[in-house]
Amino acid sequence: MKTLLGHLGYCTNIHAGETWTDHFAALQQAIPALKQRLSPDAPFGIGLRLSNAASEELEIPENLIAFQHWLAENECYVFTMNGFPFGGFHDTAVKDQVHTPDWTTEARVEYTKRLFRILSVLLPVDELGNGIQGGVSTSPLSYRHWFEWDQPAARDYIYSQTTQNVLEVVADLIRLRRQTDRLMHLDLEPEPDGVIETSDEFISWFTDYLLPMGIDQFSTEFGLTDEEAEATICEHVRLCYDVCHFAVGYERAADVLDKLRSYGLRVGKIQISAALKAEFPADPAGRQAVRQAFEQFNEPTYLHQVVARTTSGTLLRYPDLPEALAALDDTHAEWRAHFHVPLFVSDYGVLQSTQDDIREVLQLQAERRFTNQMEVETYTWGVLPDELKKELIDSIEREMKWVSKSMDNEE
């Protein structure tokens, strides 16, 4: 839905359904009720998540036309898409396979191109008759634990190969814009243990690989000057600011935005999400209580990376909760865990959420308007501890209302 701070919707990766038939059925069940509760008198925004299989089905003309009609009939619109999870995302052990296939593969390239073709058709026009911008968020290129990441030659190979594939998608976006006048951007989503996991790594990849390789390619392919090629790349490749991910890495939003601005880089969308955190008290009983609380969130479906801050200020990274629990010692002062917990809950006993990071990001959005796309992304309802599981539509409603109220406080 359109707010003073931009378009706001929720990501449909909340809903199961890896085929388009199943996913569309879930949308038909949930979205009309949510629109009536949240936006009865104005169009309702959707962040659409499609698996590879669902995207192949939806691109069939009759399916795409039927979906367009359904959106129009229900006064809904798609303004962003989630292209990170390629395959199964519910009722299966996802873990590091969420990165499969990665950006070294042609399968990832073709999937992402298909999402943009679909989005170019679905994007609505604004009240002035102009097409709104759209974005597709994607993985941070690959998963670093699959490679000898401490070897410079291995890093250079992966960065070079994945960047060339990203540029193939960007070339498609340039052509689509010339054909349709639709500006769309690929939004890379840094994540703990991704090939790109921090803002500094995103900037380094952008300036050391994407721009040099892209300027050389597009100057020839599209007849652009170096300056035009650079500006075009910066338009079409942006950062997906997942609040949970940056909070887990102890990165402050203002610092990230300031660094991006200094390099002329942009945020494509905000994914509004919350992580778990806790400081460890000095007494053994208190430390044990925190440990046991984290253990309640140790489940087998998704990766729950942990970044520990030690008493000396060093950050230690663990690929999942079991490794962090095994490594816990007296030097650990604080943990932050990648578990997308409900936005509207600030405390979980001795644990807390990173809810304050969301408020900070929304305040900066009110001040700077650094994007016009915001997407609530809590996909873990099915794997929460039993006492936190609630009816799904009610939970989505509470999340959206919490965000809207927070935004109202910042406007």
Side-chain angles (χ1 to χ4, degrees):
M1 49 194 175
K2 189 70 165 60
T3 74
L4 292 178
L5 301 190
H7 297 280
L8 172 66
Y10 80 95
C11 182
T12 67
N13 64 358
I14 292 173
H15 303 295
E18 301 309 318
T19 67
W20 172 242
T21 299
D22 290 345
H23 195 63
F24 190 26
L27 302 186
Q28 289 171 305
Q29 181 178 6
I31 287 178
L34 285 166
K35 183 188 184 300
Q36 184 59 37
R37 298 183 192 186
L38 296 167
S39 185
D41 301 318
F44 184 68
I46 299 171
L48 186 64
R49 183 261 160 167
L50 299 174
S51 70
N52 180 65
S55 71
E56 291 177 334
E57 293 177 66
L58 182 55
E59 198 177 28
I60 296 171
E62 54 263 38
N63 292 340
L64 192 53
I65 291 169
F67 185 47
Q68 286 180 283
H69 286 317
W70 182 83
L71 289 170
E73 290 168 0
N74 288 275
E75 292 188 287
C76 296
Y77 66 102
V78 174
F79 65 95
T80 185
M81 297 178 74
N82 186 333
F84 192 148
F86 178 98
F89 197 58
H90 292 277
D91 304 319
T92 185
V94 179
K95 293 298 183 179
D96 63 344
Q97 294 306 299
V98 72
H99 294 275
T100 303
D102 66 7
W103 275 96
T104 65
T105 67
E106 191 61 24
R108 173 64 66 172
V109 173
E110 291 306 315
Y111 166 59
T112 308
K113 287 181 178 180
R114 189 180 310 115
L115 293 182
F116 275 115
R117 290 196 299 269
I118 292 169
L119 185 60
S120 72
V121 174
L122 295 179
L123 281 174
V125 296
D126 62 20
E127 56 275 11
L128 300 177
N130 301 313
I132 68 170
Q133 295 183 18
V136 173
S137 53
T138 190
S139 76
L141 302 181
S142 189
Y143 184 63
R144 66 177 58 202
H145 292 304
W146 292 342
F147 312 104
E148 295 178 351
W149 201 244
D150 58 339
Q151 301 297 317
R155 293 199 301 272
D156 180 68
Y157 173 78
I158 295 302
Y159 277 133
S160 297
Q161 186 175 8
T162 55
T163 301
Q164 190 56 59
N165 284 335
V166 167
L167 288 170
E168 185 177 336
V169 173
V170 176
D172 248 30
L173 294 180
I174 296 170
R175 287 188 284 268
L176 276 169
R177 187 177 187 186
R178 291 181 174 184
Q179 294 164 6
T180 67
D181 200 32
R182 294 297 179 109
L183 171 57
M184 297 182 291
H185 38 84
L186 181 67
D187 304 329
L188 264 75
E189 183 179 337
E191 174 173 300
D193 294 328
V195 163
I196 296 175
E197 68 176 350
T198 67
S199 58
D200 285 340
E201 288 180 347
F202 175 80
I203 291 168
S204 294
W205 166 73
F206 208 108
T207 57
D208 295 345
Y209 290 88
L210 188 68
L211 283 180
M213 293 172 64
I215 289 170
D216 183 62
Q217 176 179 331
F218 296 151
S219 297
T220 301
E221 185 172 352
F222 296 106
L224 302 176
T225 66
D226 287 357
E227 292 77 11
E228 290 170 338
E230 179 174 345
T232 297
I233 294 166
C234 290
E235 277 193 320
H236 289 297
V237 182
R238 306 185 187 186
L239 178 83
C240 172
Y241 194 108
D242 187 299
V243 184
C244 168
H245 297 174
F246 282 101
V248 169
Y250 299 81
E251 293 199 63
R252 298 298 301 271
D255 296 337
V256 173
L257 295 177
D258 288 345
K259 285 187 288 187
L260 291 174
R261 183 167 56 186
S262 70
Y263 284 91
L265 306 182
R266 306 181 190 183
V267 172
K269 73 175 170 183
I270 304 166
Q271 282 185 327
I272 303 171
S273 54
L276 283 172
K277 68 177 182 179
E279 294 186 1
F280 286 91
D283 64 288
R287 297 181 71 83
Q288 182 63 16
V290 172
R291 177 196 174 94
Q292 290 175 343
F294 273 111
E295 286 176 341
Q296 299 301 307
F297 291 87
N298 184 18
E299 59 82 33
T301 303
Y302 304 109
L303 280 177
H304 301 298
Q305 305 93 321
V306 174
V307 181
R309 179 179 57 81
T310 69
T311 52
S312 65
T314 302
L315 298 183
L316 303 176
R317 300 176 184 274
Y318 300 96
D320 207 348
L321 261 170
E323 290 85 348
L325 290 165
L328 177 62
D329 61 32
D330 290 344
T331 67
H332 289 197
E334 181 180 0
W335 275 12
R336 297 190 178 188
H338 176 213
F339 197 118
H340 287 219
V341 290
L343 308 181
F344 50 81
V345 180
S346 59
D347 295 289
Y348 299 86
V350 297
L351 307 183
Q352 300 83 45
S353 85
T354 56
Q355 192 184 79
D356 285 345
D357 289 69
I358 299 173
R359 289 195 177 95
E360 180 182 359
V361 169
L362 293 177
Q363 178 181 353
L364 289 164
Q365 172 66 358
E367 295 170 357
R368 304 187 187 186
R369 300 296 202 274
F370 58 87
T371 181
N372 69 346
Q373 302 190 354
M374 298 169 289
E375 176 185 55
V376 171
E377 198 213 14
T378 307
Y379 56 80
T380 51
W381 298 104
V383 298
L384 288 169
D386 288 342
E387 62 272 17
L388 295 176
K389 291 179 181 177
K390 307 294 181 185
E391 200 279 327
L392 183 59
I393 293 178
D394 291 343
S395 298
I396 298 170
E397 178 187 8
R398 288 187 67 185
E399 295 240 288
M400 295 289 286
K401 285 183 174 178
W402 184 88
V403 172
S404 294
K405 183 178 179 180
S406 299
M407 289 168 56
D408 289 342
N409 293 337
E410 303 301 341
E411 288 173 359

